[in-house]
Amino acid sequence: MVTVNHLVKADRLAAITQRIGFALWQLQELEWTTTNYLVVRLRAKRGIGEEAGGTLLKSVGKRPFGSLLKELSDAGVLEPELAQKLQAVLKDRNWLVHRSRRENRAVLTSDEQCATLIAKLESISAEALSMLKHVGQLLERYVLESGVSKEFIDQESERLLVQWGIIE
C-alpha cells in the first residue's frame, strides 16, 4: 500500500535526482569548454586542420578536469581568481560524483537535509554555468584575437545549436 510518506519520499527523490542530473550536465559542459580552451590556447597551431584538431581534442578530452585546470594554471592562461573558482567547482564536482550519496543517506526522510541538498545542487549548477560562460568568453576572445571573425564564430555557434537540437 502506498502511503503519503512513500509519495513524499518519491517526490523528494525525483527532485534530487533531477537536480543531480542537471548539475552533472552543467559540469560536463564546463569540462568540455575547458578542454576546448586548453586545446585552442595551448596545443593547436594555426592551420592544424579539422581532422588533426579533432584528434587532439578527443585526446585531451579524456583527461581529468583537475589535470586540465593544472595545465592551464601552470601555463599562466587563467587569472588566479578564475583558477581558484574553477578549483572550487572541481571540488564540488568531485563531491557530487564520489561522496554526495554517501553523505546524504537520510535526505529522503528529513525536510531540512532535503532542502540543504537541493540548495547545494542548485548552487553547483549555477556556478558551473557561470564558469562555463567565463571560460567560453576567454575562448572566444582568444579566437577573435587570433584572427577568426566574429561572423564565423556566430555561424559555427548557430550550426552547433541546430545540430544539438537546442534551436531549429
Side-chain angles (χ1 to χ4, degrees):
M1 177 174 173
V2 177
T3 65
V4 172
N5 192 35
H6 284 101
L7 294 175
V8 169
K9 287 180 183 179
D11 287 344
R12 284 182 181 165
L13 181 60
I16 291 165
T17 55
Q18 180 183 24
R19 284 167 177 88
I20 288 169
F22 186 68
L24 288 172
W25 274 27
Q26 295 294 76
L27 290 162
Q28 287 173 0
E29 282 300 311
L30 172 59
E31 289 184 32
W32 186 243
T33 300
T34 303
T35 299
N36 278 270
Y37 182 59
L38 187 146
V39 167
V40 168
R41 185 71 196 259
L42 301 178
R43 300 286 182 85
K45 303 295 181 222
R46 189 177 267 314
I48 188 174
E50 195 170 327
E51 187 176 330
T55 300
L56 182 57
L57 191 57
K58 196 177 285 186
S59 173
V60 174
K62 294 178 182 177
R63 292 179 42 203
F65 188 43
S67 75
L68 302 176
L69 297 180
K70 181 170 179 10
E71 184 174 345
L72 287 166
S73 291
D74 289 350
V77 297
L78 291 179
E79 301 161 0
E81 183 180 337
L82 176 59
Q84 287 177 339
K85 288 180 179 181
L86 286 166
Q87 283 296 325
V89 169
L90 173 63
K91 183 179 174 185
D92 284 341
R93 177 238 178 254
N94 289 341
W95 170 83
L96 178 61
V97 171
H98 299 291
R99 298 185 318 279
S100 62
R101 175 69 176 115
R102 184 176 65 243
E103 292 178 7
N104 288 281
R105 295 273 187 219
V107 73
L108 298 181
T109 58
S110 167
D111 291 340
E112 184 179 328
Q113 285 186 16
C114 183
T116 299
L117 178 58
I118 286 174
K120 183 167 185 169
L121 293 169
E122 289 174 347
S123 174
I124 290 170
S125 295
E127 188 62 16
L129 178 59
S130 174
M131 292 297 97
L132 171 62
K133 289 176 180 179
H134 197 107
V135 174
Q137 289 168 348
L138 290 175
L139 179 57
E140 182 175 326
R141 187 177 325 130
Y142 182 78
V143 171
L144 286 168
E145 289 170 359
S146 298
V148 176
S149 72
K150 178 76 168 128
E151 293 77 26
F152 180 78
I153 293 171
D154 291 343
Q155 288 172 350
E156 280 299 295
S157 295
E158 185 171 337
R159 182 187 66 79
L160 288 172
L161 291 172
V162 169
Q163 180 184 344
W164 297 337
I166 295 171
I167 64 172
E168 294 181 16

